[in-house]
Structures are given as C-alpha cells and as structure tokens.
Amino acid sequence: MSISGKSSFKKSKIQGVGIGLRSCHYQSIIQHKPRIPWFEVISDNYMIEGGPELNYLESIRNDYPIVMHGVGMSVGSVDDLNMDYLGKLRSLKERFEPAWISDHLCWVSADKRYFHDLLPLPYTQESIDHVAKRVQRVQNVLGERILLENVSNYMTYKANEMTEWEFLSNVAEAADCNILLDINNVYVSSYNHKFDPFLYLNEIPVNRVKQFHLAGYQDKGLYLFDSHSEKVKPPVWDLYEFAVTKFGSIPTLIEWDDDIPSLSDLLTEANKASKIIWK
Amino acid sequence: MLKEIQQVFADDFSSNSSEFLKYIGGGGCEEMSSCSPAPKFIGLDAIQGLEIYRESIIAGLARSLTEIYPVCVKLIGLESFSLLAYRYSENYPSSSPSLINYGQKFSAFLNSIPQMGVALPYFPDVAALELLVHNAYYASSGSDIDLFRFNQLTPSKQSKVVFDLTPSFGLVSSEFPIKHIWEVSQDGADDEIVSLDEGADFLAVHRFGNEVRIESLSAELYLFLGEMCKGLTLSEALSSVLNEFNEFDFQASIQLALDKGFIYGFHVQN
C-alpha cells in the first residue's frame, strides 16, 4: 500500500452523535460541510492502493474528526493474525489519525477463508484467553488500546460457560481493551436468545465503554436481524436511554449500511440520539 | 475446541454439510448452568441459527458482486444476476479480509457455464471489462515517466528497456462491442440498441486522476501492450508484434501509450 507519512490534522475530541461515513455522501459532505461532530470510517474500505476514495477521506478528514471501525481483524479466529491487514491499519492510523480504532469480538475467517460475517465465539475461558492474547498483539502493533464491539447473535454454543455480557466484560479485562457497546446488537441478541437486555447493560463495566452504536434491525418474525437498513426501533431507543443513564454521554454512532438514506435523514436520526445524550 | 469449531464451520461450507450443528444448541440460556434467572422460553434453535449465518454469508458475498459488476446487473436484471452471484459465492471463497478484492474470477466462472455461450456470449467479456474498471479505481497512481533519462540511453540500451505500465492499467479484448455495451449501460446514457455485429473490441483500462478511462486500441497496439505487460523488453515486444503485423508503427504506438499515460516508468534489463 502506498499510503504513508505523518499527517497534521487538528486534534478534536470525539463527542456527541456521529454518523458512519459512506461514499454516497462524500460530495454532499465536502460541498456543504454539514454540522456533524465526527464520522466513523470503515477502515477496511480504505485499505487500498490508491484512488479517489483516499482523496475523499483526506478531504473530509481535514474538516472532521474520525474514528476507525473495522470488520476484518478477526480477533477470534484461530488463523494467524493477518499482519498485512494490521500493517495497513497502522498506515491508515498514521495517515488519518483517528481518535480510536475498533473492531468486533468475533471471528470472520477460518482456514484462511474469509466469511465476511461476524461469527460469534463460544463464551468460554479458552476463547477469552485466545482473544486477549491476540488483542494484546494488535494493540502492540497499533500502539494504542482498541475497542471491541459486541456482535448480534443468532446461535448458541453448547460449550458456553458464561453469559455474553460476562464474556464481553472478561475479554475487555483480560485484553485490557475498551468496549464499543452496540445497543441494537444487545437488543437483537436479547430477543433472539430471550435474555434481559437491561441486565446485560447493567453487568458491563462502566470504565471500559467508550462508544455506542445505534442501528435499525429487521423483524423477521421468528427472530430479529441486525440489518443496518432501517431507523432505530423504539425498544432500542429505550435501551439507549438506559445505557446513557448508566454509562454517561458516551459518543454515539448512527450506523446505516444498506438502503442508505439521504444525509439529512441520517442527521434527523442523529439529532434524536443527541436529545437523549444531552438531556 | 475453538480450533475444531472453526475448522468444522469452514469444512461445512466447502462440503455443504452440517457437522457444525453438533456444537450449537437451541435458545439462549438453556445450556448454561450459571445463567440466572433461568429464561422463561427459548429463542432460535440450532438449525435456524446456523441457516441465518449461512444465508448472510452467501448474501453478503453476492451483494459485493452486484457492487463490482453494476453493468452486468443492468444487462440481465438483479434477480438473474443474484442467481449467478449466489452460485459464484457458494463456489468461490474469499481469501482476503476486504470484499473489494472479491469476485476476481467471476468472468472465468461465467465462461464455465455452458449455456452462457449461446444465450449471452458477450456477458463474460463485459464482466472482465467491469473488473478492470473496478480494479483501476482502487489502484495506486503512477508517477510521470522520466523521458529525459530514457532519451539519454543508447539505442542498444533502449532496446533492452522494459516499460512499467501504470498500476491501474489492464487489457481486455472481445469479439463483441463490449465498450459500447458498457457505455449504453451507464446511468443517464441514451436508450440505444447495440448491434453485436459492430465487431471486436481491443481495450485498455486505466485511471487518469480520479477518472477511470476505457480506451479503444488497434489490434497491433493491444498485442504490443500485452507483451509489455508480460515484462518483455522493447525489442522482444516489437519483434513479437512484427511477426503478426508487419506494418506496425512502433514510434506512433509508443507516443500514444505515453500520451495516454499508460507508461509511468522503465528499467533496463541486463
């Protein structure tokens, strides 16, 4: 990858409600510079050799602080850590200076095959030890503490030794990393596996949570699917209000990946979250 | 246990089996002795849960193909394209953490479908063109060639020069007018019918600034640039082209390749 060199972006604190940066909004953002406190960037989309996408990001980064969120780190996989991927992530970090970097508590690859889906881990001590070791290596490469996000879940391992919230908390503690708490994922998993989402939030250590995600799910009848293609649903707003009460005014992101609406529609959704966070 | 679980999941995908089911149970807390209070009712069962992931994985890969091959989608419609994309995704695993790199063998896959040659003979070539456009968009930028240094070389050294083609550069040919098909399939293009009798296309794809360009070439220039892509020296590439096209205008061809920005560097082979 040809990106390198130190940049000199203004350091700005990440606070309030940001939105996910998507290519269909580049022109509008660059032209109109809407009042958005920060953007979350999918780091994997910029692990490229060159071209317009990096130029757009550079231009937007000049005006906004960003955080980087990845989907390909595969911290739960038993495959070797992909050092090429981590090298590219480090280059992106050096070039664009995100306030922090996050990925998911899951595995996306096995036997050198990438599934591009966020597969859950068994909630076992073995998984905790495995992930903690890998996250520590990642943090050494990146030179900073990362955030791990809880994923939405549709299956339960027989080998589970603890609840999901115990697993997430234990991993964060063992790896000494922070948590990106996806409120929608908590709700989706709680519906699919019939646990109490408020109990989940109550058991997560306050000091580790540095970011929230909000997104929309699809109701498939038998289960909820984390589609990122809808507005945030009422039960998730309720859970978010509870989370803000417990964890404080943590920076929150409106996530939308499919059937992406106009920037103004996204801002309407962000404003709704802002009202809760700053209440 | 972790290694075993992940290996079985991967093997299941390759063999289309469901061994993985032995590792998953139904519902959230039913298997956990430490879960308290015990859940009142149980959620998704094992088969349903596994199926959600399988469907999501294949659908995700297939969706990435619709983004790489928008003209192909337009030509046969989303529903038909999705059938092909699903079949491809089931048979061609991804080996990269980035979906931007997926779908590199889609044209070859299309060519392997026996009915394709009869029903849509131009379709795999359009896919090959779209892949080059996609790859060019994400390629690194080439720098300007140092012509002064090239002109300082003695003629014998110049004959041993190997040109470096710009990183976004790619070649594709077809017996069908795929460039015209690509053009009329762009958003906002005039509603136009393309006759397959328009003839063969010899094309170069490259990015100039932010813009990906598709350039029509003569058959001889296409061959010449193809030989350079293989890393042949100028004299080797020239002799190969002259074997087929004895009227090949070397000077004009090099000038055109330079003017278009196909060439961005060179080295002299020892």
Side-chain angles (χ1 to χ4, degrees):
Chain A
M1 193 159 65
S2 59
I3 56 175
S4 62
K6 296 295 286 181
S7 55
S8 55
F9 298 112
K10 209 170 76 179
K11 299 273 181 201
S12 307
K13 203 175 168 202
I14 300 289
Q15 54 187 359
V17 182
I19 62 173
L21 181 64
R22 302 294 179 261
S23 57
C24 56
H25 296 141
Y26 285 157
Q27 297 292 357
S28 178
I29 294 164
I30 291 167
Q31 201 178 340
H32 303 295
K33 295 187 174 40
R35 282 172 60 90
I36 296 168
W38 53 280
F39 286 103
E40 185 184 81
V41 169
I42 302 295
S43 36
D44 309 55
N45 291 349
Y46 300 92
M47 292 180 183
I48 49 182
E49 299 296 326
E53 297 289 310
L54 289 166
N55 299 337
Y56 285 124
L57 181 56
E58 179 109 22
S59 174
I60 290 166
R61 179 66 184 96
N62 280 325
D63 294 318
Y64 297 92
I66 61 166
V67 300
M68 283 193 161
H69 185 53
V71 289
M73 194 182 284
S74 202
V75 290
S77 173
V78 294
D79 282 353
D80 290 341
L81 267 177
N82 187 330
M83 298 311 286
D84 177 56
Y85 180 91
L86 288 181
K88 287 174 177 170
L89 188 55
R90 191 185 162 92
S91 296
L92 285 172
K93 174 198 155 164
E94 287 170 355
R95 177 166 174 181
F96 294 105
E97 298 178 2
W100 58 72
I101 293 169
S102 62
D103 207 294
H104 300 83
L105 178 52
C106 69
W107 53 290
V108 300
S109 57
D111 205 16
K112 297 185 172 53
R113 173 178 181 155
Y114 281 84
F115 298 105
H116 303 283
D117 209 332
L118 308 171
L119 295 157
L121 286 154
Y123 308 143
T124 62
Q125 190 58 46
E126 182 198 9
S127 297
I128 293 169
D129 295 342
H130 178 72
V131 172
K133 232 180 267 173
R134 286 164 71 93
V135 170
Q136 282 161 0
R137 279 189 66 200
V138 169
Q139 293 182 154
N140 284 338
V141 171
L142 297 177
E144 66 178 62
R145 200 176 272 140
I146 63 166
L147 281 64
L148 281 187
E149 178 186 342
N150 57 301
V151 296
S152 54
N153 195 335
Y154 309 95
M155 64 187 180
T156 306
Y157 291 99
K158 289 177 182 170
N160 282 354
E161 295 163 358
M162 61 194 85
T163 60
E164 184 183 327
W165 51 92
E166 287 167 334
F167 181 67
L168 176 62
S169 306
N170 289 342
V171 166
E173 195 59 34
D176 191 19
C177 68
N178 289 320
I179 294 173
L180 192 174
L181 199 54
D182 189 312
I183 306 297
N184 182 59
N185 287 350
V186 171
Y187 184 75
V188 165
S189 296
S190 77
Y191 182 93
N192 293 340
H193 299 299
K194 312 302 174 198
F195 61 74
D196 178 357
F198 294 91
L199 173 65
Y200 187 123
L201 295 189
N202 255 334
E203 296 299 316
I204 300 294
V206 173
N207 63 323
R208 294 277 177 192
V209 178
K210 303 298 177 194
Q211 187 186 339
F212 291 141
H213 267 179
L214 287 172
Y217 60 75
Q218 280 180 347
D219 188 341
K220 300 279 192 181
L222 185 65
Y223 65 97
L224 303 182
F225 186 69
D226 177 33
S227 61
H228 293 189
S229 63
E230 315 247 341
K231 285 184 174 179
V232 180
K233 296 287 176 17
V236 177
W237 283 121
D238 292 344
L239 198 57
Y240 178 60
E241 285 209 49
F242 180 79
V244 170
T245 309
K246 177 180 161 65
F247 297 98
S249 302
I250 301 287
T252 301
L253 180 94
I254 302 293
E255 233 183 354
W256 209 311
D257 293 307
D258 274 336
D259 301 327
I260 300 172
S262 69
L263 203 52
S264 64
D265 284 351
L266 274 177
L267 286 172
T268 303
E269 200 75 341
N271 287 338
K272 211 169 160 183
S274 287
K275 281 181 188 155
I276 295 171
I277 213 172
W278 300 123
K279 196 154 66 176
Chain B
M1 173 63 98
L2 203 51
K3 189 171 184 177
E4 184 185 315
I5 283 174
Q6 294 182 7
Q7 187 64 54
V8 169
F9 188 86
D11 290 346
D12 273 3
F13 246 90
S14 306
S15 60
N16 200 22
S17 50
S18 299
E19 284 293 301
F20 187 77
L21 281 174
K22 67 186 177 196
Y23 299 112
I24 51 178
C29 294
E30 67 168 350
E31 312 288 345
M32 288 182 292
S33 55
S34 65
C35 188
S36 175
K40 292 191 181 95
F41 53 105
I42 300 303
L44 290 164
D45 70 27
I47 295 171
Q48 291 160 340
L50 182 57
E51 197 47 42
I52 291 167
Y53 282 104
R54 283 187 163 171
E55 168 61 23
S56 173
I57 288 167
I58 296 301
L61 291 173
R63 194 166 50 245
S64 77
L65 293 179
T66 65
E67 286 164 16
I68 298 168
Y69 297 99
V71 170
C72 290
V73 174
K74 218 168 222 180
L75 288 174
I76 61 172
L78 183 59
E79 203 174 320
S80 301
F81 184 86
S82 294
L83 290 174
L84 289 169
Y86 265 69
R87 210 164 126 195
Y88 180 85
S89 304
E90 282 163 355
N91 292 291
Y92 291 79
S94 167
S95 57
S96 162
S98 173
L99 277 171
I100 289 169
N101 303 320
Y102 190 59
Q104 299 286 318
K105 293 176 181 167
F106 191 56
S107 175
F109 159 76
L110 295 172
N111 268 319
S112 73
I113 300 172
Q115 307 93 311
M116 191 62 71
V118 180
L120 297 163
Y122 55 88
F123 195 64
D125 293 345
V126 174
L129 173 60
E130 285 214 277
L131 181 67
L132 289 185
V133 170
H134 170 81
N135 289 346
Y137 183 77
Y138 292 107
S140 61
S141 308
S143 50
D144 288 336
I145 185 170
D146 185 352
L147 281 176
F148 179 76
R149 192 167 75 85
F150 179 77
N151 288 327
Q152 296 298 305
L153 297 174
T154 61
S156 80
K157 288 245 168 161
Q158 283 187 349
S159 71
K160 291 179 183 166
V161 155
V162 176
F163 280 123
D164 303 317
L165 295 160
T166 192
S168 63
F169 185 83
L171 291 167
V172 61
S173 68
S174 173
E175 58 183 293
F176 303 105
I178 55 173
K179 185 182 180 203
H180 197 183
I181 293 171
W182 188 89
E183 284 167 347
V184 301
S185 304
Q186 298 306 300
D187 289 339
D190 291 339
D191 203 9
E192 202 181 325
I193 292 170
V194 179
S195 164
L196 295 185
D197 296 333
E198 284 176 25
D201 260 342
F202 298 93
L203 305 172
V205 177
H206 68 121
R207 198 182 73 241
F208 194 83
N210 281 351
E211 184 194 353
V212 176
R213 293 179 176 176
I214 302 171
E215 314 270 8
S216 294
L217 307 174
S218 63
E220 50 266 47
L221 180 54
Y222 179 87
L223 176 60
F224 182 62
L225 291 168
E227 298 297 62
M228 293 214 287
C229 281
K230 292 179 195 162
L232 298 188
T233 63
L234 263 186
S235 66
E236 289 166 340
L238 184 57
S239 112
S240 170
V241 177
L242 287 172
N243 273 341
E244 278 197 49
F245 302 96
N246 53 18
E247 302 282 303
F248 177 61
D249 187 340
F250 171 70
Q251 287 294 343
S253 297
I254 284 288
Q255 193 58 53
L256 193 140
L258 288 167
D259 291 346
K260 295 282 186 189
F262 297 161
I263 298 169
Y264 83 110
F266 66 88
H267 62 275
V268 180
Q269 197 172 76
N270 292 320

